[in-house]
Amino acid sequence: MAEDLSIFKGSKQEQYESLIPQIEGLLLGETNLVANLANISAALKEQFNWWWVGFYWVHENELVLAPFQGPVACTRIKKGRGVCGGAWEHGKTLIVEDVEKFPGHIACSSASKSEIVVPVIKDGQIVGVLDVDSELLAHFDETDQLYLEKIVGLIP
Ligand code: SME
């Protein structure tokens, strides 16, 4: 497997379409969870250069910080707390256009303005979430939701 990512310039949809087969290649034959979450975070960061992208993983009834790319972040989030805990509690993707208007948003960084959190579901259980933060308002939409849900579905 070549470890170089080919970065595509084009529409957001085209960028995801170019990235997904490459993520499939990165995951191929690798079953280690940390390795796979680390490479997915890195691939998304390289392609989109978002402020923060990474995972929180369910451990003893909390979300615990897992592989990510970006500035240091809070390590533990309880169910129902913040955007991540909300996506976990409700079992669905949350798109927040302005984090200051989201009650209970956990500000790991004051630079973060908008956010999308996608649950990772295995055998009907939420095992973690993918969290993406942007320093731009309203950066994420249904296209991101569609493709990020596809990407977390690739995690073996
Ligand atoms: N803002 C998130 C917390 C995690 S950091 O953004 C990396 C939240 O409200 O759940």
Side-chain angles (χ1 to χ4, degrees), residues 36-100:
N36 286 334
L37 299 185
N39 258 344
I40 292 173
S41 306
L44 287 167
K45 176 75 173 177
E46 260 195 85
Q47 176 65 57
F48 293 104
N49 201 25
W50 290 316
W51 177 253
W52 196 96
V53 51
F55 293 88
Y56 282 86
W57 219 249
V58 175
H59 183 68
E60 292 175 353
N61 216 32
E62 280 184 314
L63 288 172
V64 182
L65 187 62
F68 70 94
Q69 297 270 318
V72 294
C74 47
T75 53
R76 287 172 188 268
I77 299 174
K78 294 199 186 304
K79 195 177 251 184
R81 294 283 318 282
V83 189
C84 291
W88 180 21
E89 182 172 48
H90 300 296
K92 62 176 184 135
T93 296
L94 293 182
I95 298 173
V96 178
E97 295 195 341
D98 181 351
V99 295
E100 287 188 11

Side-chain angles (χ1 to χ4, degrees), residues 105-134:
H105 168 254
I106 301 165
C108 286
S109 159
S110 58
S112 173
K113 299 273 186 290
S114 62
E115 183 161 357
I116 182 169
V117 179
V118 180
V120 182
I121 300 168
K122 283 271 165 234
D123 302 324
Q125 293 274 91
I126 297 182
V127 292
V129 298
L130 170 64
D131 179 17
V132 189
D133 288 32
S134 171

